[in-house]
Amino acid sequence: MQTWSNELGQPLGKPLPDWQNPPFPIATTLEGYGCRMEPLDVAKHSNALWEAFSEDIEGRVWTYLSVGPFANKAGHDGWLRALASKSDPQPYAIVDAATGLAAGIATYLRIAPETASIEVGWLTFSPRMQKTKLATAAMFLLMRNAFKLGYRRYEWKCNSLNAPSHRAAERLGFTFEGIFRQAAINKGRSRDTTWLSIIDNEWPLLEVAFEQWLQADNFDAAGRQRSSLSALTSAALAQRAT
């Protein structure tokens, strides 16, 4: 592994002589693999989202989020309006291209062009899209767009007690970095936060893995995957390390 140092022999980071800040992402529709990521529009998306989230009778979707569950649609729509009023977080409705209906939400947040770092968060997946190809396609479209814009670091953070979120991130190719202890107070409870990331030199190999997994021929007639994404992303990261 190449190293750099100054005239005093002190180690330094890799030089970036041609560095330029990437642009702030423009909220625009991203589409592919049966998924459309549409900039959140309350008038357009709220009814479908409310219906989809209402399938979560127990309120499991909201356990580790700082909002919800909502007792009524007015409260739900108020949250959507608050999200849609901001550029950071920059929210997207996850739309199933087959039905044209929104089934979940994801956002860019902590958008920092000056350090070329961007986070994906506010992942609010209704029961109908959990563990589906749609959910993976949504994550892929946001990730691909961020690296195409020139971001060097793509972050995922979750409550450290939210084991399913941590597993989902690692399936997608994120690398665990550590835990920030007592990082927040969420709904009156202490929260430790787990940090994971993908960086730009990992993305070309991971992109190939995603595209391989998302191909129609990776699924049999019953919709079962032939190759798992976790196996493909693990192999991609192992290839980077050699």
Side-chain angles (χ1 to χ4, degrees):
M1 181 177 178
Q2 186 175 0
T3 59
W4 293 268
S5 60
N6 62 13
E7 63 279 4
L8 301 175
Q10 296 168 308
L12 297 175
K14 178 183 177 180
L16 302 171
D18 301 319
W19 167 250
Q20 292 184 345
N21 292 358
F24 195 94
I26 297 172
T28 188
T29 298
L30 308 171
E31 188 167 7
Y33 300 103
C35 177
R36 287 203 308 273
M37 303 298 292
E38 298 181 357
L40 179 62
D41 181 321
V42 178
K44 180 178 181 180
H45 299 124
S46 66
N47 288 341
L49 288 169
W50 174 249
E51 180 181 342
F53 293 144
S54 294
E55 294 175 0
D56 175 29
I57 303 300
E58 296 177 311
R60 288 178 178 269
V61 167
W62 310 97
T63 298
Y64 296 107
L65 294 174
S66 59
V67 300
F70 299 99
N72 51 56
K73 189 172 183 295
H76 167 268
D77 287 1
W79 170 60
L80 293 184
R81 281 192 293 272
L83 265 185
S85 69
K86 301 173 183 178
S87 59
D88 187 353
Q90 185 179 100
Y92 292 82
I94 303 169
V95 176
D96 184 341
T99 65
L101 298 176
I105 291 172
T107 78
Y108 287 140
L109 70 158
R110 290 169 55 93
I111 303 167
E114 66 277 9
T115 58
S117 175
I118 191 168
E119 181 180 342
V120 62
W122 280 105
L123 303 182
T124 317
F125 293 177
S126 69
R128 68 180 64 170
M129 69 168 291
Q130 293 173 12
K131 298 182 179 180
T132 65
K133 184 178 179 181
L134 177 65
T136 300
M139 295 297 91
F140 171 69
L141 293 174
L142 287 176
M143 206 180 299
R144 182 176 66 180
N145 184 60
F147 285 112
K148 185 177 179 180
L149 289 172
Y151 284 81
R152 303 174 65 232
R153 174 178 170 83
Y154 194 75
E155 297 179 337
W156 178 297
K157 301 186 185 77
C158 61
N159 187 311
S160 294
L161 298 176
N162 189 353
S165 181
H166 190 157
R167 288 195 300 269
E170 292 189 330
R171 170 181 174 268
L172 295 169
F174 285 81
T175 295
F176 171 72
E177 295 182 325
I179 295 175
F180 280 34
R181 299 178 300 165
Q182 297 186 181
I185 299 172
N186 189 0
K187 295 178 178 174
R189 295 179 183 273
S190 181
R191 166 178 156 152
D192 295 352
T193 297
T194 295
W195 287 52
L196 306 100
S197 73
I198 295 171
I199 56 176
D200 56 355
N201 68 359
E202 298 165 338
W203 175 242
L205 293 167
L206 288 171
E207 182 176 21
V208 172
F210 273 98
E211 290 176 338
Q212 182 177 343
W213 188 85
L214 288 163
Q215 292 300 318
D217 62 9
N218 187 43
F219 299 88
D220 64 18
R224 294 184 293 261
Q225 63 182 4
R226 302 183 193 277
S227 298
S228 72
L229 183 60
S230 58
L232 295 170
T233 56
S234 294
L237 294 175
Q239 184 179 348
R240 168 217 60 185
T242 59

